[in-house]
Amino acid sequence: MAEAHQAVAFQFTVTPEGVDFRLSREALKHIYLSGINSWKKRLIRIKNGILRGVYPGSPTSWLFVVMTTLGSSYCNVDISMGLVCFIQRWLPEGCGPYRSPQTRTLLSMAIFSTGVWMTGILFFRQTLKLLLSYHGWLFEMHGQTSHFTRVWAMCVRLLSGQRPMLYSFQTSLPKLPVPSVSATIHRYLESVQHLLDDEEYYRMETLAKEFQEKTAPRLQKYLVLKSWWAANYLQPPTHPQVSDWWEEYVYLRGRTPLMVNSNYYVMDLVLVKNTDVQAARLGNIVHAMIMYRRKLDREEIKPVMALGIVPMCSYQMERMFNTTRIPGKDTDVLQHLTDSRHVAVYHKGRFFKLWLYEGSRLLKPRDLEMQFQRILDDPSPPQPGEERLAALTAGGRVEWAQVRQAFFGSGKNKAALDAIERAAFFVALDEESHRYDPEDEASLSLYGKALLHGSCYNRWFDKSFTLIAFKNGQLGLNTEHAWADAPIIGHLWEFVLGTDSFDLGYSETGHCLGKPNPVLAPPQRLQWDIPEQCQAVIESSYQVAKALADDVELYCFQFLPFGKGLIKKCRTSPDAFVQIALQLAYFRDRGKFCLTYEASMTRMFREGRTETVRSCTCESTAFVQAMVQGRHLKADLQDLFRKAAEKHQNACRLAMTGAGIDRHLFCLYVVSKFLGVSSPFLAEVLSEPWRLSTSQTAQFQIRMFDPNKYPNHLGAGGGFGPVANDGYGVSYMIAGENTIFFHVSSKFSSSETNAQRFGNHIRQALLDIADLFQVPKADS
């Protein structure tokens, strides 16, 4: 493909005869159709805003109330108890549409009916919020549901209405409660008692008691006061550009590289192959992603429901597309656009702008395949400084902010950067091939490393997500973490992979179905003018990123002996089983216990994100020590395991219901900084390292297909880098009934950690715990 110039709507040249204007019909057509599409979206948003605003009511229910009022009047029954006559007296007389008595009566009935309808909506909504504040069902044993909970579930179903839209329940979700200081400190001390010796614990207990008596009451008052008017007490009082303190102080204010430290990756289906054609796979996947975005814009996606009853908060999904993290010297900002009609593409050191629409019509998969193939076939070389430009997003945030301000604020550099930052998402066309081969265990780890950091300059780490396509058609995602948590991108990924496999499909030769439109304008090559001074900073950022990437050891493996199905025979939750196995594995690996982080969601509350489950408990350490000693009877070990599992499950329930430890202490710390109050207790708590950071990857949020019918249609989940330099990051996905995928990360620079060694300890720990319950295992 010959070099394509960035489109402009018009050009002009000043000549002695005057000004010569040259209009581009194609660009003007894009502007016109973009305007039409924008107005359509606005009308859809207005309609959805009205429907969402009156949910669980509907226009049909309003019409029913109006007809009931009119019918009662026809039967000479005044169900308004005189209110219709009262409204009629207040209407103006003698002019306009109110001249006729019949018109005045009908209008009064309509006003009365609307008032009754709105009152009913508010009543139902507040009642539903009250019902959703009940979390007793979480603490009941499986199969032992109380009569109260059954009645509660019936009421929730009754008030939830029919066909809710994505954001229909947002105003009915309860607020995240502010825990009491005494309860939080009690749970905190309980979580660290077994990790400290007597002297250290006494010192921490003294600090906690002093904080509780002197400093905490004042901080707690401010937090409670803010919770009265904020949707979530994590929300900041004065920062309109971020959604919560957690987002700002944990993510956006971080000055270290996003790559490895913050971004995480998601893998493709690993046991099935749809096509080997790179461009064809992208054609289907990108088309499916924009279909999802259309459903998202129209709020046609069903809200995620726990047990099919309790709605989860959906606000994080708003910034899935058209979002970029903009670097700043002190703090970054998330830039979100309401719409974007193109994607930015990287291939062999060149950047392209690929339009997703022809006019107002979304390009078909075969057309998108043709456009991606045009990029793959383009022989043009990178411009000076272009090849490693994206390394700026992989290096330090301060350096990137300074360079962005100095060299990308005007001219063609600004236009090209805008094309990337204003894209729906970023697409990376890799020249390497990666795929999981069950006969070659290292293949999964190499695949994960490619997704986590790539070459350090072939991902745009600031975009909400980068879609990565390898040469053999295998895909993956690299996702920025500030805008949302992993289950949100997992929801999109499930839809996309299911649509690709079961709805769109491929021809016998592996291409997208249909015929391409060869007259489509080719993708536009982005133009840069990068001076040598900027190129030097790019090279510096690349060296920083490469050192970070080379230091990461990633060990990914599929655990085959058993999965969720056989774990349930131990009469415990699969998550508790794996978490206790991780404690056993860590103790065997390091000879000691450590503070352990497990992410748990708080999306049953409005604008909730995550809470920490401190999964290294007194009960789990007791079980691990008994297992290592090897002197206990099997029955005693089983009893210790069940106690540890029940403790873990209870900690998860507390975290999910707003009674966790860490978010409350974090907010108290933020308030103390606002007030200029010093707290040695909070400073020490928030500086404690998480040497074992864990997360379970959610799956089957959308029932796109029957997993029993298609057992091999499984993703391998995803992973992230270690949180502590001398620690481990562990992500796992309990993939169906018969297998578990693990992603273990550590740093080569630490002499105390080894990801593969720890992975082997995890394998053995799972087998040893299963042997306690004589669970039969498949051949490994």
Side-chain angles (χ1 to χ4, degrees):
M1 183 181 73
E3 180 179 320
H5 295 282
Q6 292 166 238
V8 290
F10 65 89
Q11 297 177 339
F12 67 91
T13 305
V14 180
T15 67
E17 290 78 21
V19 181
D20 177 28
F21 282 93
R22 296 179 184 178
L23 298 178
S24 168
R25 290 186 178 182
E26 186 64 27
L28 289 175
K29 180 182 176 183
H30 270 293
I31 294 172
Y32 169 74
L33 292 174
S34 177
I36 295 295
N37 193 51
S38 177
W39 274 104
K40 285 182 180 178
K41 286 194 171 186
R42 288 181 186 178
L43 292 175
I44 290 172
R45 288 194 190 100
I46 291 172
K47 182 197 77 171
N48 289 341
I50 293 172
L51 294 177
R52 189 192 328 123
V54 301
Y55 195 85
S58 66
T60 304
S61 62
W62 176 82
L63 186 61
F64 175 78
V65 175
V66 171
M67 295 305 295
T68 300
T69 305
L70 290 173
S72 65
S73 176
Y74 181 77
C75 297
N76 295 320
V77 177
D78 185 10
I79 62 173
S80 73
M81 301 173 62
L83 283 175
V84 170
C85 294
F86 177 79
I87 295 170
Q88 190 173 353
R89 286 197 299 269
W90 280 92
L91 291 176
E93 299 180 7
C95 63
Y98 313 114
R99 187 177 302 168
S100 162
Q102 292 84 358
T103 304
R104 290 162 56 80
T105 301
L106 289 173
L107 183 60
S108 301
M109 289 182 178
I111 294 173
F112 167 76
S113 300
T114 302
V116 171
W117 180 65
M118 292 298 296
T119 302
I121 289 171
L122 292 174
F123 173 77
F124 284 137
R125 190 175 288 174
Q126 292 302 313
T127 303
L128 182 59
K129 180 181 286 190
L130 185 64
L131 289 170
L132 294 176
S133 299
Y134 168 72
H135 301 122
W137 58 275
L138 265 175
F139 294 86
E140 294 179 348
M141 296 292 291
H142 182 68
Q144 299 181 13
T145 307
S146 66
H147 292 297
F148 181 86
T149 297
R150 289 174 182 172
V151 173
W152 165 83
M154 290 175 58
C155 293
V156 171
R157 285 195 180 99
L158 183 65
L159 294 176
S160 293
Q162 300 294 323
R163 297 189 300 274
M165 295 189 300
L166 179 60
Y167 304 118
S168 291
F169 293 110
Q170 289 300 103
T171 55
S172 297
L173 292 174
K175 293 182 179 182
L176 186 67
V178 181
S180 68
V181 173
S182 59
T184 297
I185 289 179
H186 172 76
R187 284 192 286 267
Y188 168 78
L189 291 175
E190 184 184 24
S191 74
V192 298
Q193 184 172 8
H194 52 283
L195 300 174
L196 306 174
D197 59 33
D198 292 342
E199 183 178 345
E200 290 173 332
Y201 180 74
Y202 176 75
R203 185 180 66 83
M204 183 57 71
E205 190 178 36
T206 303
L207 287 175
K209 185 177 180 181
E210 180 183 3
F211 169 74
Q212 182 177 346
E213 292 177 352
K214 297 181 179 179
T215 311
R218 182 186 176 194
L219 305 181
Q220 181 78 348
K221 285 178 182 177
Y222 279 94
L223 210 54
V224 171
L225 181 64
K226 189 163 73 66
S227 73
W228 290 350
W229 56 265
N232 186 313
Y233 74 83
L234 282 159
Q235 284 184 326
T238 59
H239 204 314
Q241 294 176 316
V242 299
S243 63
D244 55 50
W245 281 339
W246 185 251
E247 178 180 301
E248 179 180 4
Y249 291 102
V250 173
Y251 294 114
L252 298 180
R253 284 184 179 266
R255 302 294 84 195
T256 56
L258 299 184
M259 188 194 76
V260 175
N261 294 319
S262 179
N263 285 26
Y264 57 93
Y265 66 87
V266 185
M267 286 185 171
D268 196 357
L269 301 175
V270 292
L271 302 180
V272 295
K273 179 177 67 174
N274 290 325
T275 180
D276 285 325
V277 182
Q278 184 180 19
R281 190 79 198 285
L282 274 174
N284 269 2
I285 291 294
V286 171
H287 182 83
M289 282 184 165
I290 302 305
M291 286 173 58
Y292 182 94
R293 188 181 70 168
R294 180 182 292 172
K295 288 178 174 288
L296 189 64
D297 290 341
R298 296 178 179 179
E299 302 183 29
E300 294 172 353
I301 297 172
K302 294 180 180 178
V304 176
M305 311 282 278
L307 301 179
I309 301 173
V310 181
M312 301 287 104
C313 180
S314 302
Y315 96 99
Q316 293 182 61
M317 302 176 83
E318 295 176 1
R319 297 180 294 181
M320 186 179 297
F321 295 94
N322 327 323
T323 298
T324 302
R325 180 166 170 168
I326 306 298
K329 293 181 180 179
D330 298 318
T331 183
D332 294 350
V333 173
L334 287 177
Q335 172 187 279
H336 174 67
L337 306 176
T338 56
D339 191 23
S340 176
R341 297 173 61 82
H342 72 277
V343 292
V345 184
Y346 180 90
H347 176 245
K348 282 188 175 181
R350 297 88 45 81
F351 292 87
F352 297 84
K353 181 178 183 179
L354 191 155
W355 292 103
L356 298 169
Y357 294 85
E358 183 187 18
S360 59
R361 180 184 67 84
L362 173 63
L363 293 185
K364 295 178 181 179
R366 191 69 180 89
D367 292 331
L368 288 167
E369 177 188 349
M370 178 187 69
Q371 297 291 66
F372 283 114
Q373 192 60 51
R374 284 174 167 175
I375 294 175
L376 291 169
D377 295 339
D378 185 333
S380 61
Q383 300 162 72
E386 182 182 17
E387 182 177 10
R388 294 182 176 179
L389 175 64
L392 291 170
T393 69
R397 304 305 292 172
V398 175
E399 293 79 5
W400 175 207
Q402 292 171 342
V403 167
R404 188 178 188 276
Q405 184 178 12
F407 300 105
F408 296 89
S410 62
K412 60 172 65 175
N413 285 350
K414 183 180 188 304
L417 183 62
D418 281 348
I420 296 174
E421 294 182 338
R422 301 176 73 87
F425 51 90
F426 192 81
V427 180
L429 300 174
D430 280 18
E431 286 296 294
E432 299 177 347
S433 291
H434 286 284
R435 176 168 281 132
Y436 173 47
D437 179 3
E439 301 299 321
D440 179 14
E441 186 182 74
S443 62
L444 193 63
S445 301
L446 293 172
Y447 177 28
K449 282 274 284 183
L451 294 175
L452 181 62
H453 53 68
S455 64
C456 304
Y457 56 78
N458 58 354
R459 319 276 181 256
W460 198 269
F461 293 100
D462 288 354
K463 288 300 291 183
S464 55
F465 64 89
T466 295
L467 173 63
I468 302 159
F470 297 104
K471 198 168 186 177
N472 59 351
Q474 194 77 1
L475 302 178
L477 299 175
N478 184 287
T479 307
E480 201 279 320
H481 208 326
W483 64 273
D485 302 306
I488 305 302
I489 200 71
H491 194 279
L492 163 70
W493 200 229
E494 284 185 31
F495 175 88
V496 167
L497 295 181
T499 302
D500 172 47
S501 298
F502 299 101
D503 294 343
L504 298 177
Y506 299 89
S507 68
E508 292 181 357
T509 56
H511 292 279
C512 296
L513 301 177
K515 294 182 179 180
N517 179 9
V519 301
L520 284 174
Q524 301 165 15
R525 177 76 187 275
L526 300 185
Q527 301 298 309
W528 307 91
D529 181 14
I530 302 174
E532 291 185 1
Q533 185 180 355
C534 181
Q535 292 180 38
V537 181
I538 292 172
E539 181 62 24
S540 175
S541 293
Y542 168 67
Q543 294 300 330
V544 169
K546 188 176 185 301
L548 182 59
D550 290 344
D551 194 28
V552 174
E553 179 185 9
L554 186 65
Y555 178 55
C556 306
F557 65 94
Q558 182 182 10
F559 181 77
L560 290 167
F562 58 86
K564 179 173 63 177
L566 294 182
I567 290 176
K568 288 181 178 178
K569 294 184 178 180
C570 300
R571 297 183 179 181
T572 188
S573 81
D575 182 66
F577 189 99
V578 173
Q579 284 290 332
I580 295 171
L582 290 176
Q583 293 302 315
L584 177 57
Y586 188 87
F587 189 83
R588 287 171 172 173
D589 185 80
R590 299 288 297 275
K592 59 183 178 180
F593 298 102
C594 72
L595 203 60
T596 305
Y597 181 107
E598 182 189 6
S600 174
M601 64 90 184
T602 55
R603 289 174 61 201
M604 289 190 295
F605 301 98
R606 187 172 180 181
E607 300 184 15
R609 285 194 62 161
T610 61
E611 176 58 275
T612 304
V613 177
R614 293 176 168 237
S615 49
C616 182
T617 62
C618 181
E619 289 78 3
S620 67
T621 57
F623 167 75
V624 168
Q625 287 170 336
M627 282 286 288
V628 172
Q629 289 169 3
R631 299 193 302 266
H632 292 71
L633 297 174
K634 184 174 286 189
D636 294 334
L637 291 172
Q638 289 177 352
D639 184 57
L640 288 170
F641 175 83
R642 290 195 176 99
K643 287 180 180 177
E646 179 56 36
K647 179 69 174 183
H648 179 80
Q649 288 175 259
N650 191 61
C652 290
R653 295 177 187 121
L654 289 171
M656 291 172 64
T657 54
I661 300 169
D662 292 273
R663 299 302 178 270
H664 185 206
L665 292 178
F666 167 77
C667 284
L668 291 172
Y669 179 77
V670 173
V671 173
S672 73
K673 290 300 179 182
F674 274 124
L675 299 177
V677 177
S678 175
S679 170
F681 171 73
L682 290 177
E684 185 156 342
V685 169
L686 270 73
S687 64
E688 292 171 341
W690 300 98
R691 291 192 171 87
L692 182 55
S693 181
T694 70
S695 178
Q696 180 182 177
T697 303
Q699 63 168 339
F700 299 136
Q701 298 181 74
I702 311 174
R703 287 291 176 177
M704 294 292 292
F705 60 92
D706 184 358
N708 296 319
K709 188 176 179 181
Y710 301 96
N712 287 332
H713 279 71
L714 292 174
F720 51 88
V723 174
N725 290 330
D726 59 346
Y728 292 110
V730 181
S731 175
Y732 55 94
M733 189 177 81
I734 303 170
E737 299 294 311
N738 303 309
T739 190
I740 308 173
F741 286 97
F742 285 90
H743 305 252
V744 184
S745 65
S746 64
K747 291 194 174 182
F748 287 113
S749 56
S750 172
S751 60
E752 299 180 8
T753 57
N754 182 296
Q756 185 164 355
R757 183 185 71 206
F758 187 47
N760 291 332
H761 282 309
I762 293 172
R763 271 197 186 95
Q764 192 59 49
L766 290 167
L767 293 171
D768 290 345
I769 295 175
D771 283 341
L772 285 180
F773 297 89
Q774 296 179 336
V775 176
K777 302 173 285 295
D779 293 336
S780 57

